[in-house]
Amino acid sequence: MAPQPAAEPRAPRLDPSAIVLLPAPQDADEKAARLDEIRERHAATCPHCTRARGHRNMVFGEGSPDAEIVFIGEAPGETEDELGRPFVGPAGQKLDEMIRAMGLRREDTYIANVLKTLPPDNRTPLPDEVERCGPFLIEQLLAIRPKAIVALGGPATKLVTGTDQGITRLRGTWQSWTPPAGSGCPAIPVMPTYHPSYVLRNYTPKVRGEVWGDLKRVLELLGRRPGGANASES
Ligand code: URA
């Protein structure tokens, strides 16, 4: 019998009661303080990460608390696990290149993952793992309230859109993150695109062009141009 394609993993279903809802932070300082509080609570209480084994560091996320764009990946890899920072290995170098091509600086964006600890054998996060750790990422999004989310790959896209569809179908199409009821946060546009690791493994003009097209749509939404100039200024 011909080999069957692997079934698409389902989207995680987060328990709304696991998400701590607080009033919207009013400025960048309040956002930074909120993120610090979430970081500490995550490290002490995350039902997934506090029980996970075989990792060296939790990787909370980093960047500007006031970022217009949040990039969400899957989970720390080996280099991220060693350094405790997101996207600092080979996939991170590719992401940095993508951010620079957008005319942005990495430190002006915020970068996080659906899981904050290295999965065993560096495998794709499982839906039930994301269900335990994901509420903290949702709280990070509620603290930052960016203007756009770039979901890098399938797990991030599934978490923020709640859809079971795969990345190949959704990439390049505007989706939306619906924040939890009672959060007072408006829906935020989501652009799903290929994960930088996928780009590195499939380094073709087609794949690179598709990702660049997706990123340009995000810039258009924000009224920016790839060179960094604000579209309304020139
Ligand atoms: N891949 C991810 O999804 N996240 C990282 O932080 C690094 C590699």
Side-chain angles (χ1 to χ4, degrees):
M1 199 169 83
Q4 299 297 307
E8 189 63 49
R10 66 171 175 80
R13 289 180 278 275
L14 300 191
D15 172 4
S17 72
I19 301 166
V20 176
L21 296 183
L22 293 167
Q26 295 305 304
D27 56 28
D29 288 347
E30 280 191 27
K31 290 180 181 193
R34 180 74 51 85
L35 287 168
D36 285 346
E37 186 277 319
I38 301 166
R39 178 197 293 271
E40 282 174 24
R41 188 157 39 80
H42 169 267
T45 68
C46 174
H48 173 74
C49 297
T50 55
R51 292 189 186 106
R53 294 283 170 267
H55 64 282
R56 285 169 283 189
N57 287 294
M58 292 186 196
V59 179
F60 181 72
E62 68 180 27
S64 167
D66 218 12
E68 288 193 339
I69 306 179
V70 172
F71 292 89
I72 304 177
E74 287 190 17
E78 297 286 350
T79 314
E80 291 77 18
D81 178 55
E82 188 185 332
L83 300 178
R85 297 179 56 206
F87 280 101
V88 285
Q93 283 168 21
K94 179 41 71 186
L95 178 60
D96 286 352
E97 234 178 71
M98 288 158 53
I99 293 172
R100 274 198 303 273
M102 295 172 82
L104 301 170
R105 297 179 312 168
R106 177 179 163 114
E107 58 269 33
D108 295 331
T109 71
Y110 193 88
I111 303 175
N113 284 304
V114 299
L115 266 199
K116 300 190 192 315
T117 45
L118 172 72
D121 302 325
N122 211 349
R123 60 151 168 71
T124 303
L126 303 173
D128 64 307
E129 294 173 332
V130 180
E131 279 158 8
R132 291 192 290 271
C133 186
F136 294 94
L137 175 64
I138 300 301
E139 290 187 35
Q140 285 170 284
L141 293 175
L142 288 173
I144 300 166
R145 304 192 178 211
K147 294 194 175 140
I149 295 169
V150 179
L152 301 166
T157 301
K158 286 189 171 140
L159 175 63
V160 288
T161 66
T163 162
D164 290 332
Q165 289 187 29
I167 184 67
T168 319
R169 265 182 175 239
L170 291 185
R171 86 126 274 285
T173 64
W174 278 115
Q175 304 292 319
S176 179
W177 172 55
T178 307
S183 65
C185 181
I188 295 178
V190 175
M191 178 52 68
T193 194
Y194 290 131
H195 191 285
S197 301
Y198 177 88
V199 179
L200 289 175
R201 287 195 309 272
N202 300 274
Y203 207 65
T204 63
K206 177 169 184 292
V207 166
R208 286 152 62 200
E210 284 172 341
V211 171
W212 180 229
D214 302 342
L215 299 177
K216 280 198 289 193
R217 286 196 187 95
V218 176
L219 291 173
E220 265 166 37
L221 179 88
L222 301 180
R224 288 178 172 273
R225 293 223 171 115
N230 195 307
S232 61
E233 287 169 5
S234 52

